[in-house]
Amino acid sequence: MNHSVSNPFPWYKKMSAENPVYYDKDYMHYFGAKGAWHVFRYHDVQTVLYDWENFSSEYAPKVDNILSAAIQVTDPPRHKQLRLLVSKAFTPNVIENMKPWIQEITKELLDKVADKGEMDVTVDLAVPVPIQVIAKMLGVPYEDRDKFKFWSTIIVKNPTEVEGGVNGYFQAQQEMAQYFMNLFEERLKDPKDDLISHLQRVDLEGEKLSEQDLLAFCITLLVAGNETTTNLISAAIYTFIENPEIQEHLYQYPEVIPTAIEEILRYRAPVQYINRIATKDVELGGQTIKKGDLINAWMGSANRDASVFENPDTFDLNRTNLKHTSFGHGIHFCLGAPLARLEAKIVLELLFSQFKQLELKDTSKELEMNEINLMFSIKSLPIVFKKR
């Protein structure tokens, strides 16, 4: 796999043209398996995401892996039950009620840097907003946020990249599990108005969420609701720095911000690919994928498919086709999508209402990325700005 994490797009383009469905025998998965099919074109990626009967989400090894019970790695009928339970946490009403405190969190963070005229977008804004939102949803004490950040950065990595390797990876999972177990016990004795207490109470056709399900969900929410929104916010601000005329436009017409966010999701998808496993021998793009083969569906590539998106490598605020694949497709469509969109919208509205002329602090430096193929993830983004 010869591509850079800061600019994988030329590689996608080449592969889409020459090897749209391609078997890579040396590809290492984060759970230790080797070998994967890479799928690059929009319609093939959509097929893999949509057709859960042929392309199963139950690819994670069941051993000792807490996340193997999580909603995103289960298929129907189990998936449907979990989703019904958990979707109660994401009703439009619940999300609407979060608005005031997402605004409050963002305002506090912007106030801290306003007089300095500079900040690291990732560290000072894009990381703390989602972490505090998720922590507040779950009812996790704010002072534990550093632990959370530490765990969630480890869990999206490939275990081979983690300090202490696979052992370090599972240790982080175990610590996180222990942390939540203690929290579950506290909530059972003393329920609060938070998501954990809520999920401990809900039942579906008389069935309650098991502790294992609850645990997998909390960890998923923490990781999925955290890293991805962080990536969305920092990629958005980076893109608006590359296209400075957009900054003023969004300040004058804040109603355009939601469209800008959809185009960011297409242009630099926070999650670049998703795994699946073939349940039987299946034909895709002229190739035969064998039962048990693992598949990487590259959403980051699908979103730049020229047969679907005109001038795909251009960030275009007037684009009318917003059918990107960044939140998935079909039964696994991201439950947290409305929350991610809301967080990004509030952050950008407040940012442009207070600051202008956002620029990179040092244009001679390369963009510092987290070395992870799974995500478009900016590690550090030092910028300077002026107050309005």
Side-chain angles (χ1 to χ4, degrees):
M1 286 186 53
N2 46 352
H3 70 280
S4 87
V5 286
S6 62
N7 187 17
F9 306 105
W11 180 66
Y12 296 159
K13 195 179 221 163
K14 185 176 171 10
M15 296 302 284
S16 295
E18 296 167 16
N19 283 308
V21 178
Y22 165 76
Y23 191 71
D24 176 354
K25 65 180 186 334
D26 299 318
Y27 187 82
M28 281 300 293
H29 289 268
Y30 67 88
F31 41 82
K34 202 175 169 191
W37 287 93
H38 295 307
V39 178
F40 293 97
R41 288 183 186 164
Y42 183 90
H43 295 293
D44 291 338
V45 166
Q46 290 287 66
T47 299
V48 171
L49 297 179
Y50 191 75
D51 179 1
W52 59 267
E53 288 173 290
N54 282 316
F55 303 101
S56 162
S57 293
E58 299 190 359
Y59 57 82
K62 293 290 181 243
V63 291
D64 231 24
N65 185 351
I66 297 157
L67 291 178
S68 64
I71 185 165
Q72 76 278 24
V73 291
T74 50
D75 290 330
R78 182 84 195 112
H79 174 268
K80 194 175 175 192
Q81 281 179 313
L82 283 176
R83 195 169 171 110
L84 270 170
L85 280 173
V86 169
S87 63
K88 297 186 163 101
F90 288 102
T91 62
N93 206 8
V94 168
I95 287 172
E96 187 58 35
N97 291 341
M98 288 183 196
K99 221 184 215 163
W101 52 263
I102 300 175
Q103 285 166 331
E104 194 184 317
I105 289 165
T106 308
K107 275 202 183 90
E108 267 174 36
L109 291 163
L110 293 175
D111 287 348
K112 273 187 199 162
V113 297
D115 292 330
K116 295 182 193 159
E118 60 173 80
M119 67 166 151
D120 184 327
V121 170
T122 305
V123 179
D124 296 323
L125 189 63
V127 166
V129 171
I131 270 222
Q132 291 184 48
V133 170
I134 296 293
K136 195 166 161 69
M137 269 180 93
L138 287 170
V140 165
Y142 179 57
E143 55 274 15
D144 292 339
R145 68 191 180 282
D146 287 344
K147 283 186 201 163
F148 266 34
K149 185 65 205 160
F150 173 71
W151 290 328
S152 63
T153 16
I154 284 187
I155 283 184
V156 294
K157 281 185 175 166
N158 190 320
T160 52
E161 300 165 4
V162 174
E163 206 176 314
V166 177
N167 293 341
Y169 180 82
F170 282 116
Q171 190 188 329
Q173 262 199 20
Q174 294 304 331
E175 284 171 13
M176 214 167 177
Q178 200 45 61
Y179 178 89
F180 277 118
M181 298 292 213
N182 298 341
L183 205 57
F184 297 163
E185 271 177 47
E186 282 171 34
R187 288 297 181 272
L188 281 172
K189 290 181 198 134
D190 179 18
K192 300 241 189 302
D193 183 21
D194 61 30
L195 191 51
I196 287 176
S197 304
H198 171 79
L199 288 171
Q200 284 176 329
R201 289 192 299 270
V202 294
D203 64 42
L204 187 73
E205 297 160 357
E207 189 201 347
K208 282 207 174 337
L209 275 179
S210 71
E211 193 164 67
Q212 182 74 8
D213 288 335
L214 196 55
L215 187 60
F217 176 66
C218 288
I219 293 181
T220 300
L221 187 65
L222 184 66
V223 176
N226 183 335
E227 290 294 318
T228 51
T229 310
T230 290
N231 296 344
L232 172 59
I233 294 168
S234 50
I237 294 169
Y238 178 61
T239 305
F240 301 145
I241 288 173
E242 287 181 316
N243 302 271
E245 70 290 348
I246 294 176
Q247 298 179 28
E248 249 345 83
H249 186 75
L250 295 180
Y251 166 63
Q252 286 171 5
Y253 306 100
E255 66 277 9
V256 180
I257 288 177
T259 312
I261 290 168
E262 294 313 302
E263 177 64 346
I264 291 287
L265 283 160
R266 180 198 71 81
Y267 187 67
R268 286 189 165 121
V271 178
Q272 290 285 305
Y273 72 83
I274 275 184
N275 295 114
R276 292 291 186 261
I277 188 167
T279 55
K280 41 175 135 17
D281 291 4
V282 60
E283 188 91 6
L284 186 73
Q287 301 284 356
T288 302
I289 297 175
K290 292 262 184 268
K291 179 183 177 173
D293 283 355
L294 290 156
I295 298 125
N296 292 342
W298 289 88
M299 288 114 68
S301 171
N303 290 343
R304 300 264 187 139
D305 187 327
S307 69
V308 179
F309 302 101
E310 210 175 316
N311 301 325
D313 297 326
T314 304
F315 180 86
D316 180 2
L317 215 43
N318 302 312
R319 195 176 290 283
T320 49
N321 174 10
L322 300 170
K323 290 197 184 77
H324 58 74
T325 60
S326 304
F327 286 126
H329 183 52
I331 60 166
H332 284 277
F333 185 82
C334 173
L335 267 172
L339 180 59
R341 287 174 165 132
L342 179 66
E343 286 178 54
K345 175 174 173 280
I346 289 172
V347 166
L348 294 173
E349 280 171 358
L350 288 171
L351 180 74
F352 291 127
S353 71
Q354 289 186 29
F355 304 155
K356 59 180 179 178
Q357 293 170 15
L358 279 62
E359 293 172 4
L360 293 180
K361 189 176 173 182
D362 182 351
T363 47
S364 67
K365 276 193 177 155
E366 277 223 358
L367 186 62
E368 196 184 341
M369 302 291 290
N370 287 308
E371 286 295 321
I372 169 170
N373 291 317
L374 178 67
M375 297 191 174
F376 186 88
S377 175
I378 301 174
K379 187 175 189 173
S380 172
L381 185 58
I383 68 163
V384 290
F385 54 82
K386 296 197 165 62
K387 278 167 92 166
R388 288 219 177 262

